[in-house]
Amino acid sequence: MTPRDTTYPFLHKDATMDSTRKPTLAIIGYGSQGRAHALNLRDSGFDVTVGLRPGGPTEPKAKGDGFTVKSPAEAVRGADLVAVLTPDMVQPQLYGEVIEPNIAPGACLLFAHGFNVHYGQITPRDDLDVVLVAPKGPGALVRREYEIGRGVPSVYAVHQDRSGRAEERALAYCAGIGGARQNAIRTTFKEETETDLFGEQAVLCGGATRLVQAGWETLVDAGYQPEVAYYECLHELKLIVDLFYEGGITRMHEFISETAQYGALTRGDVVVDGETRARMRQVLAEIQDGTFARQWIAEYAAGNANYRALKQADLEHPIEAVGCRLRANMKWLSTAPAAPAQQTKAA
């Protein structure tokens, strides 16, 4: 490994793989992240086996991509490193019934999200290295950036270091999927889990969705055309997010009008005020104390009826019907890359 940057002690630059021996890897799961990780790691020279349920829906795709596909138990038995890239809620049973009885002593167990370890749903066997590597993007982007010689930034963490080489193993995997090309930031299972959940709930998914819906409803209730409101509150959001992505808030200010800047600077705090921040702190507190995790685990165990009802209400919001009609005339969208699969974290 290259030395750490002494200015930023948790930042590693240009991490490289151990040149003497690349470990045998088992990728368990072949969804959005699973497929991207498996392909990138194979292209980086690793010996990759994919572990899937026989007859499952992703088995033909993995075989079509040229992988050796075995049952999860068989794949785990022969691996130096096992990457668990299935949805969060199926991982505890998978670990207890398949991984723990079959993983070799001293092997490395890798997760792409710390949820189950952090909240105690999985207690890894004591002899294992336990690490996390989490790309900051969906699987399709992880693959696409790797193919063009770049990489999606990633974070990594070590939960158990029984071999004395757990960090090295995490960074080797991170390099193999392309994450070390853009610097790999060291974190902890706690930090990755709690910040990831907060970002999804308060800003990226929950917050952004409700802000868009509320803005659209405000304009429509005031008598404006639903189609015009759609353009202003949802469609043009991509333009701003792209500017954020490219160069942060600074770049947004460089490209929007002075009128837009003045309106944003003087009215943004009216919408996101002290009460909003207090609610964000409440959301974070419920992530930190395990309230959200307990609710989600209980919801899943009960069959997801409430989850499905809430999701259906989102899908049936009137803005969706308006958007569907308008997007039918946006011919350029038919040539755009397909949207990432719903499960982007660990499908």
Side-chain angles (χ1 to χ4, degrees):
M1 298 186 305
T2 55
R4 284 188 178 171
D5 185 306
T6 55
T7 306
Y8 302 97
F10 293 130
L11 189 65
H12 286 251
K13 294 186 176 181
D14 302 320
T16 56
M17 294 168 290
D18 181 354
S19 59
T20 58
R21 179 182 180 274
K22 295 185 176 68
T24 300
L25 307 185
I27 303 296
I28 310 301
Y30 205 69
S32 172
Q33 290 288 348
R35 182 172 187 266
H37 288 214
L39 290 168
N40 291 3
L41 289 161
R42 184 177 65 185
D43 289 351
S44 293
F46 286 92
D47 179 1
V48 178
T49 297
V50 176
L52 297 172
R53 176 170 51 86
T58 56
E59 183 183 33
K61 179 180 289 188
K63 288 183 175 179
D65 287 335
F67 285 104
T68 298
V69 178
K70 299 180 180 179
S71 72
E74 291 176 308
V76 166
R77 284 189 203 107
D80 299 308
L81 184 150
V82 175
V84 185
L85 301 177
T86 57
D88 291 332
M89 291 300 103
V90 307
Q91 289 180 13
Q93 182 178 2
L94 175 69
Y95 177 78
E97 295 180 0
V98 175
I99 295 175
E100 186 173 69
N102 291 290
I103 191 169
C108 184
L109 181 64
L110 182 144
F111 296 89
H113 182 39
F115 184 97
N116 284 303
V117 171
H118 178 55
Y119 290 117
Q121 299 305 294
I122 292 175
T123 302
R125 212 172 64 202
D126 191 60
D127 64 284
L128 303 173
D129 283 351
V130 182
V131 303
L132 176 149
V133 174
K136 296 290 97 181
L141 183 66
V142 171
R143 179 58 179 164
R144 189 162 65 247
E145 287 295 293
Y146 180 94
E147 288 181 303
I148 61 178
R150 299 192 302 230
V152 171
S154 299
V155 299
Y156 76 97
V158 175
H159 177 71
Q160 283 184 184
D161 184 6
R162 297 297 179 255
S163 70
R165 298 187 297 109
E167 183 176 30
E168 179 184 339
R169 287 167 141 178
L171 282 169
Y173 186 99
C174 187
I177 64 172
R181 294 172 176 173
Q182 299 298 325
N183 294 336
I185 299 176
R186 182 168 180 171
T187 184
T188 64
F189 273 61
K190 178 182 190 300
E191 183 176 64
E192 186 278 333
T193 301
E194 294 177 357
T195 57
D196 186 81
L197 293 175
F198 177 81
E200 292 169 347
Q201 294 171 24
V203 182
L204 304 176
C205 305
T209 297
R210 291 296 177 262
L211 185 65
V212 165
Q213 291 171 338
W216 183 86
E217 290 167 359
T218 300
L219 288 177
V220 172
D221 289 348
Y224 297 101
Q225 294 181 70
E227 294 80 6
V228 174
Y230 175 89
Y231 284 132
E232 296 301 332
C233 295
L234 190 153
H235 178 79
E236 291 191 26
L237 183 62
K238 182 184 186 305
L239 307 177
I240 302 303
V241 171
D242 283 350
L243 294 172
F244 284 167
Y245 187 80
E246 293 165 6
I249 295 170
T250 298
R251 188 163 179 83
M252 181 200 74
H253 281 297
E254 291 173 354
F255 281 85
I256 65 174
S257 70
E258 289 184 333
T259 302
Q261 290 181 61
Y262 180 74
L265 293 168
T266 60
R267 301 304 192 270
D269 285 341
V270 175
V271 177
V272 180
D273 60 6
E275 285 191 28
T276 309
R277 293 184 180 89
R279 293 190 205 101
M280 285 186 168
R281 287 192 291 271
Q282 178 184 346
V283 168
L284 179 58
E286 291 184 355
I287 291 168
Q288 292 171 324
D289 68 16
T291 298
F292 168 77
R294 289 190 295 272
Q295 289 177 346
W296 174 218
I297 292 164
E299 172 71 26
Y300 187 85
N304 278 334
N306 185 54
Y307 159 74
R308 288 197 298 269
L310 291 170
K311 180 177 177 180
Q312 192 60 36
D314 244 14
L315 299 178
E316 293 175 356
H317 189 282
I319 197 173
E320 290 301 286
V322 174
C324 187
R325 292 198 308 271
L326 292 175
R327 290 191 299 272
N329 293 319
M330 300 178 191
K331 302 304 181 185
W332 65 91
L333 293 179
S334 63
T335 61
Q342 179 186 349
Q343 178 62 253
T344 60
K345 285 282 184 291

